[in-house]
Amino acid sequence: NRSGEIVLRYRLSFDPEAMSHFPFGPNTGPTHFHLGGCQWMLRLGDDDAEHDYDISLTGHARGWRYYSSMSADPRHVRRTASYNAMNTTAFGGSSGPHHSFSVDGKPVHVYWSSAFGPGFSHVAEDVEAIVRGQRAAMGDNDFPFYTVAIWPRPDVRAGTAIDGLFVAFLRLESERAAINRLLAHEMYHNWLSHRIAIERTDGATNARFQWLHEGVNEYLSRRMLRDAGMMSEEELVDLSERDFSDIANNPYAANTLEELETTSRARAWTNIHAKLSYARGAAIALGWEAELRREGRGGIVDLMRALHAGRGADAEAISRERLYEIGPAYGLDIAGDYQRTIVEGAPIEAPPDAFPGWRLTRVSEPKFEPGFDVTMTHRANAMTGVIEGGPAWNAGLRDGMGVAEIDNAGRFNNAWDAEAPLVVTLADGRRVDFMPRGAPIALPRYVRE
């Protein structure tokens, strides 16, 4: 128009079936919708150039409530920002179940799909307990508003925390304990990786501090659930034992930081690399917690609260030196632990006194060993990297055989079943199944005294 403005009005329509396998794709249904910024924004010129956005959500229906990560009033949002700053924002709406509460006068809204059934209403109670528990633990309630939205996906369990909002996508049959672990982990990212993030310098990749932003975050979330009575001590012990098992069974467990960052820069980073960082960080945090308790210096949440002290929502990233410097005040050699376990890739020892009243022992279990390169086989649709004399070889598989499907080979996926065989369906229709077990390895186990 004469003022130089461009006014756009457009409608979006997404086929729920087509979107069902994309963890963070648009999520729509008869009683809800959820869209990320990158799914509705138009890209205008330079992605880093700032524009004045005046966004209206129109066509309101009676009985519907709307939310946005950008404003407590999602119907009209004004913001000056770039596309890259806006593409992780979100809008959503629902005519289904809803729960509201406030913490220190700050509103929190919870939405979930009625498709989960009437028995799912526990999520309102669980979300409230997690939000209150985490804010109390961190001594931080600097959230003008907050929304938690939980929507269905048939084959996915995923979640992401962005400023002002957490969204989770779950299978309808998801178990309550697994949901709470996801909720607690992702919502703790409001601090670790958001308000407590280590700055990237010298060309650092995500691999450098993922152990802290994801792994230590995972331990914190478990600790919070345990302290809130939402996780038993047995569950906490079991999850910690799994961390050491995941490290021991990870093919990249001995990789140095340089090797991992080279992989990341080459865009060859996989879920298996990421899970190594998660497990390493959680195992390091378990050791720190035991050491802090041993020295009478509180727990790891006290360390995180000290890192966060006085920092608001817009605080800049923390320097690596700041992380190292805070260690001695708590009797921890953070710099040394980082050098040994992350930079050099040295093994992480299970602390014998991690759980009062539990004794550390060792058990022998076969290592996860499929005997072929699962990732490359998926990409090539043909058997690749079959090891002579290994489990795949002994089952009759050979390099070059066409592959139609591989099942239960994702050792580090949520759906992996340790007691079920790995199944390879060949292109000619033959089905080959075998147990992906290699030589025995010693793993730590905690036994109640």
Side-chain angles (χ1 to χ4, degrees):
N1 60 24
R2 292 178 181 178
S3 300
E5 296 174 331
I6 298 174
V7 181
L8 301 172
R9 180 186 177 97
Y10 53 97
R11 177 176 295 173
L12 298 171
S13 179
F14 296 96
D15 176 2
E17 180 101 6
M19 294 290 107
S20 63
H21 302 295
F22 293 91
F24 299 105
N27 192 285
T28 61
T31 59
H32 80 278
F33 73 91
H34 178 90
L35 299 171
C38 59
Q39 294 150 5
W40 62 264
M41 290 185 67
L42 298 186
R43 301 171 73 164
L44 307 173
D46 184 351
D47 287 351
D48 289 316
E50 291 191 341
H51 301 286
D52 294 326
Y53 287 97
D54 190 331
I55 308 160
S56 296
L57 208 60
T58 63
H60 306 299
R62 181 176 297 177
W64 279 67
R65 299 180 181 89
Y66 302 93
Y67 61 83
S68 168
S69 64
M70 294 180 283
S71 170
D73 181 4
R75 295 168 297 178
H76 200 175
V77 175
R78 292 185 176 91
R79 177 172 283 198
T80 300
S82 68
Y83 172 84
N84 280 341
M86 295 271 284
N87 64 7
T88 55
T89 60
F91 277 104
S94 171
S95 64
H98 169 258
H99 173 64
S100 295
F101 60 98
S102 64
V103 183
D104 194 26
K106 314 288 179 60
V108 181
H109 301 282
V110 188
Y111 300 89
W112 65 95
S113 173
S114 56
F116 287 108
F120 196 74
S121 59
H122 62 74
V123 76
E125 172 190 340
D126 294 344
V127 168
E128 183 166 348
I130 291 169
V131 169
R132 292 185 185 279
Q134 290 180 340
R135 293 190 187 182
M138 296 304 299
D140 180 14
N141 191 36
D142 185 17
F143 298 85
F145 63 93
Y146 196 67
T147 301
V148 177
I150 303 171
W151 306 125
R153 281 277 194 240
D155 301 310
V156 171
R157 190 180 82 195
T160 188
I162 56 180
D163 288 342
L165 183 143
F166 168 66
V167 60
F169 301 110
L170 303 173
R171 294 187 293 268
L172 293 179
E173 66 276 12
S174 296
E175 296 180 355
R176 184 174 184 176
I179 295 170
N180 286 340
R181 289 199 301 272
L182 177 69
L183 290 168
H185 175 96
E186 296 298 341
M187 286 196 284
Y188 238 127
H189 278 313
N190 286 311
W191 292 276
L192 263 175
S193 80
H194 287 197
R195 301 184 181 191
I196 307 174
I198 307 303
E199 65 181 356
R200 289 200 215 172
T201 56
D202 307 323
T205 69
N206 274 336
R208 190 168 299 186
F209 287 104
Q210 194 173 55
W211 66 273
L212 175 70
H213 297 150
E214 293 289 357
V216 173
N217 182 76
E218 171 64 18
Y219 180 80
L220 278 171
S221 66
R222 297 174 190 168
R223 186 76 258 174
M224 178 262 135
L225 290 172
R226 172 64 186 133
D227 291 343
M230 301 173 71
M231 176 183 288
S232 70
E233 190 167 18
E234 287 75 13
E235 289 175 291
L236 180 61
V237 171
D238 178 64
L239 290 169
S240 296
E241 290 172 343
R242 287 191 209 177
D243 293 328
F244 290 101
S245 177
D246 286 348
I247 295 171
N249 282 284
N250 196 296
Y252 310 113
N255 276 25
T256 64
L257 177 60
E258 182 179 356
E259 290 170 323
L260 291 173
E261 290 208 294
T262 298
T263 299
S264 180
R265 293 189 187 100
R267 297 182 182 274
W269 192 262
T270 67
N271 179 56
I272 303 173
H273 295 93
K275 291 297 185 181
L276 175 62
S277 295
Y278 278 63
R280 275 178 168 175
I284 289 170
L286 181 70
W288 285 353
E289 183 95 285
E291 195 166 348
L292 289 167
R293 188 189 310 111
R294 199 180 304 134
E295 300 296 326
R297 298 175 186 264
I300 194 168
V301 72
D302 299 284
L303 175 68
M304 293 298 115
R305 193 188 301 117
L307 274 175
H308 176 61
R311 301 172 58 79
D314 299 322
E316 295 181 356
I318 297 170
S319 69
R320 193 186 319 175
E321 289 69 30
R322 167 63 177 152
L323 175 65
Y324 297 160
E325 288 166 1
I326 203 169
Y330 287 83
L332 299 176
D333 182 13
I334 294 177
D337 290 341
Y338 170 74
Q339 178 66 31
R340 286 188 302 275
T341 61
I342 304 300
V343 176
E344 299 172 8
I348 301 170
E349 295 298 324
D353 55 348
F355 304 100
W358 295 71
R359 175 172 48 85
L360 178 63
T361 63
R362 296 277 172 179
V363 298
S364 179
E365 290 186 359
K367 185 173 183 177
F368 176 77
E369 179 54 76
F372 68 101
D373 190 322
V374 177
T375 300
M376 294 307 298
T377 297
H378 267 298
R379 293 176 182 173
N381 293 321
M383 292 301 301
T384 305
V386 176
I387 300 171
E388 185 172 352
W393 175 280
N394 293 335
L397 297 171
R398 299 292 184 270
D399 279 346
M401 288 182 169
V403 173
E405 191 173 0
I406 307 174
D407 294 306
N408 204 39
R411 166 66 177 77
F412 300 96
N413 294 338
N414 293 326
W416 181 68
D417 184 350
E419 301 304 318
L422 187 158
V423 180
V424 177
T425 303
L426 298 173
D428 60 12
R430 285 182 295 161
R431 171 186 163 120
V432 180
D433 61 285
F434 59 93
M435 300 306 293
R437 294 173 178 170
I441 53 175
L443 296 173
R445 284 290 183 273
Y446 290 95
V447 179
R448 189 183 287 280
E449 291 182 331

